[in-house]
Amino acid sequence: MNIGITVFPTYGGSGIVGSELGRELAERGHNVHFISYALPTRLCRLDERMRFHQVDLFDYPLFEFPPYDLALASKIVEVAGNEKLDVLHMHYAIPHATAGFLAREMYKSTRYLPFVTTLHGTDITLVGSRKSFLPITRFSIAQSDALTAISRYLAGETCRTFGNCAVEVIPNFINAKEYARRENQALRSRLTPNGEKLLIHVSNFRPVKRINDCIHTLARLRERLSARLVMCGDGPEREGAEKLARDYGIADDVIFAGQVPNIADYLSASDLLLMPSDTESFGLAALEAMACETPVIATRAGGLPEVVLDGETGYLVEVGDTQAMAERAVEILSDENKWRRMGARGRAWAVERFNTEIVIPQYEKLYERVIDWAGKNR
Ligand code: GMT
């Protein structure tokens, strides 16, 4: 198939999922065309079957806000013609589903180009449900030839907020070969020079991630055992978390690593992942950690209970309960057998439920279905 994929290229998990999906599809012999304003960060190298088409943005003084969605729709139409696209896959409803709809309508006189929209989270729970975006989000997702959500929780929220219950759940996925525990003694020694236990957090440090809770948890945990914390990623909450660590007097034991390219190495070098989010429609970093045999302590929020099995692959606690987070961390980190058991169960669960071998064919089937339907009915 010739597949067009649009993602937000620089920020967030939806871009990662869309990019990794494209790579997996290309490996399975499809031609994948990424259409966006920048090359998605995870795609520093493009394979033979992957192409990138940059949306041209025209910065005209009249436009205080350049209309990206219109430029995107125009680019999609151009790529659809040149590359004979069979299907479009838009990640994140706003404004991508709208651009998919516009492109399909513009191109209709030539050919019907079906588009699939995958909902990722705040496109439904935060942005799309705001008064200013709700009508256009409701319209655009209803126009999609197929609609998927990455968790049952998000499908439920879509049904509740938009009255659109025709949402298929296709979960996020993991390439179990790339995400596997690989001992990297040099990295581990650098992060824990005195043999401490190591906690890890991975995110884009937005308020919803509650990264201060990682610092509170570490401070409480250190009353019981010697531990450090590595914070991977960057974002608006970083400064506040750095200050909090200084206030606790533990700044030397909190490492702000920034964006790291080899995240599987960091996860493998760590003993426990903390995900204290306010809400999370899936929690990709939790899945990546489990695939690397690293147990997870997360909040009982959004779709996280579908990813982290409470008491098996880690623990779930209430949002903001850093005391419980610290207690669970002590429980896991002071019992080597439990730590190993949870790590192994996490890996097995990640592979049996979320492996690319299981999830990617679900997208391939979906594309075939909408292409087939478009061929017969339009
Ligand atoms: O919805 C967002 O916050 C943005 C989105 C993104 O692009 O980072 O994150 C969501 O999509 C990820 C990939 O599918 C999920 O793993 C995240 O759980 C989800 N974030 C939230 O729901 C807060």
Side-chain angles (χ1 to χ4, degrees), residues 9 32 68 70 131 133 139 141 175 180 183 232 262 264-265 267-268 293 318 325 329 345 370:
V32 178
Y68 172 63
L70 304 185
K131 200 163 153 248
F133 290 120
F139 174 79
I141 64 177
N175 183 320
E183 298 308 331
C232 297
N262 51 336
D265 285 339
L267 290 168
S268 296
E293 295 175 47
E318 299 312 313
M325 224 171 211
R345 179 72 182 110
V370 295

Side-chain angles (χ1 to χ4, degrees), residues 197-203 209-211 213-218 220-221 225 227 229 231 267 270-278 280 282-283 285-290 293-301 304-305 307-335 338-339 342-343 346:
K197 296 291 181 188
L198 184 62
L199 308 182
I200 185 168
H201 173 79
V202 183
S203 80
K209 304 292 177 184
R210 296 184 65 99
I211 65 171
D213 283 3
C214 298
I215 312 288
H216 291 304
T217 301
L218 178 71
R220 291 176 189 279
L221 175 69
L225 52 85
L229 167 68
M231 301 285 286
L267 290 168
S270 303
D271 298 304
L272 199 60
L273 177 104
L274 299 181
M275 185 171 275
S277 304
D278 236 337
E280 202 69 65
F282 186 88
L287 174 59
E288 293 175 341
M290 291 188 310
E293 295 175 47
T294 302
V296 175
I297 301 181
T299 42
R300 193 174 283 106
L304 279 169
V307 180
V308 180
L309 302 180
D310 191 23
E312 291 184 48
T313 70
Y315 284 113
L316 297 172
V317 302
E318 299 312 313
V319 173
D321 192 349
T322 54
Q323 182 63 38
M325 224 171 211
E327 276 164 18
R328 289 306 198 183
V330 170
E331 197 183 314
I332 298 172
L333 296 176
S334 53
D335 181 344
K338 179 171 236 168
W339 176 77
M342 284 191 153

Side-chain angles (χ1 to χ4, degrees), residues 8 11-17 92 118-127 150 153-154 172 204 206 208-209 275 277 279-285 304:
F8 282 115
Y11 198 75
S14 61
I16 294 173
V17 171
Y92 206 84
T118 289
L119 307 172
H120 282 269
T122 51
D123 46 354
I124 290 303
T125 57
L126 205 80
V127 186
I150 54 165
Y153 156 79
L154 189 58
N172 285 339
N204 46 25
R206 285 176 302 159
V208 71
K209 304 292 177 184
M275 185 171 275
S277 304
T279 183
E280 202 69 65
S281 59
F282 186 88
L284 190 58
L304 279 169

Side-chain angles (χ1 to χ4, degrees), residues 20 78 88 126 140 180-181 190 203 213 235 240 242 250 271 279 284 314 334 349 354 360:
E20 299 285 0
E78 180 193 314
L88 273 178
L126 205 80
S140 307
R181 195 161 192 94
R190 187 152 61 73
S203 80
D213 283 3
E242 283 173 335
I250 57 173
D271 298 304
T279 183
L284 190 58
S334 53
W349 170 239
F354 303 103
I360 307 301

